[in-house]
Amino acid sequence: MQDTTLVLGGKEFTSRLIVGTGKYATLDVMRDAHEAAGAEIVTVAVRRVSLPGTGESILDYIDTKRYTLLPNTAGCYTADEAVRTAYLAREAGMGEMVKLEVIGDSRTLFPDVPELVEATRVLARDGFVVMPYTNDDPVAARRLQDAGAACVMPLGAPIGSGLGIRNPYNIKIILETVTVPVIVDAGVGTASDAAIAMELGCDGVLMNTAIAGARDAVAMARAMRLAVEAGRLAYRAGRIGKKLYASASSPLEGLPDWTS
């Protein structure tokens, strides 16, 4: 079955798993996990990138010829702050793709949607490929698309919670509401969560804590890779319908009656 590629900002990607760079035990483990995940896009918090000449940088462990950097605006609480952070990333040579985060609450890390929409509008107008992290809200998703987002990234559950896809029905409605790619971001805990996201029809999954916080991060990265691939294949294959009662795997209709 021939699949399509994931297209973001006019660039094609074969991997639908996007991975992060935070919370790993060591930077060597992070590098090995990226390899095991088969990822092509790696997201980096702009505020965690060391300036040149200030010592070891996380970028020293990411092959930028192999991976596309996705700087993110983690830790920003206003549209202006997020926009400035995105500009800094571009000036530092990290490219024009940006994972846009505008947080509205420090305890839940839920996004501030009005500020997020405004920042999306400003950055998209200035040539950025904007990938906003948002609630699992179809109305917000449509507004972000209208503001120029290259994709929408609804949360599956709160960041780092590992709770999995808490509201698959909203994700399905988002998929029916927008025409840009839908990438689940946040809340994935294990491989089955990633598979469920892909089986719903999502175009990709972004995760960090589920891999970095696992007992064996490299093994979990490989498990997530396989789960995303399996979920995507299952979605394209088309699952059977759900029924209340049994349906025999070997039906008797049309067989000769040997008792007569």
Side-chain angles (χ1 to χ4, degrees):
M1 184 183 296
Q2 188 68 31
D3 198 0
T4 56
T5 54
L6 174 61
V7 179
L8 297 167
K11 187 174 181 179
E12 296 185 359
F13 301 93
T14 55
S15 173
R16 294 174 180 273
L17 175 58
I18 303 172
V19 294
T21 52
K23 301 184 179 180
Y24 283 93
T26 69
L27 291 174
D28 287 316
V29 171
M30 179 197 75
R31 180 177 55 200
D32 293 344
H34 290 173
E35 171 75 26
E40 294 174 286
I41 304 174
V42 175
T43 184
V44 180
V46 176
R47 296 185 177 196
R48 294 186 63 237
V49 176
S50 302
L51 295 173
T54 59
E56 186 177 54
S57 170
I58 195 170
L59 296 182
D60 295 335
Y61 291 79
I62 301 172
D63 183 355
T64 54
K65 294 181 180 179
R66 177 178 180 182
Y67 299 105
T68 295
L69 284 181
L70 178 61
N72 69 63
T73 62
C76 294
Y77 283 80
T78 67
D80 287 344
E81 189 179 9
V83 167
R84 285 198 303 272
T85 302
Y87 286 151
L88 285 172
R90 185 165 68 177
E91 289 299 316
M94 299 177 72
E96 294 186 329
M97 286 181 65
V98 59
K99 179 193 171 188
L100 184 62
E101 296 183 29
V102 183
I103 301 302
D105 177 71
S106 61
R107 186 170 63 90
T108 62
L109 299 182
F110 287 153
D112 184 323
V113 174
E115 292 287 294
L116 185 66
V117 172
E118 176 59 23
T120 298
R121 183 176 293 108
V122 171
L123 292 172
R125 189 172 57 221
D126 201 19
F128 282 86
V129 178
V130 186
M131 301 170 60
Y133 155 73
T134 184
N135 290 322
D136 55 353
D137 178 359
V139 175
R142 186 178 65 245
R143 289 177 177 168
L144 288 165
Q145 176 178 272
D146 293 345
C151 68
V152 291
M153 306 178 75
L155 55 82
I159 292 174
S161 67
L163 290 173
I165 312 300
R166 291 295 84 198
N167 198 337
Y169 307 104
N170 271 23
I171 300 294
K172 286 289 289 183
I173 295 171
I174 290 173
L175 287 162
E176 295 171 358
T177 300
V178 300
T179 57
V180 295
V182 176
I183 300 173
V184 165
D185 176 15
V188 169
T190 190
S192 58
D193 300 329
I196 288 170
M198 298 306 295
E199 288 172 8
L200 287 171
C202 292
D203 297 277
V205 181
L206 188 153
M207 65 183 73
N208 181 72
T209 306
I211 295 176
R215 186 168 61 249
D216 185 332
V218 177
M220 184 60 81
R222 182 168 181 267
M224 292 298 188
R225 174 182 186 170
L226 295 172
V228 167
E229 292 173 355
R232 174 68 178 178
L233 185 59
Y235 167 73
R236 287 177 54 79
R239 65 158 293 145
I240 64 171
K242 296 181 180 180
K243 299 179 181 179
L244 182 60
Y245 297 103
S247 178
S249 299
S250 300
L252 300 178
E253 291 82 357
L255 295 178
D257 184 359
W258 299 106
T259 61
S260 59

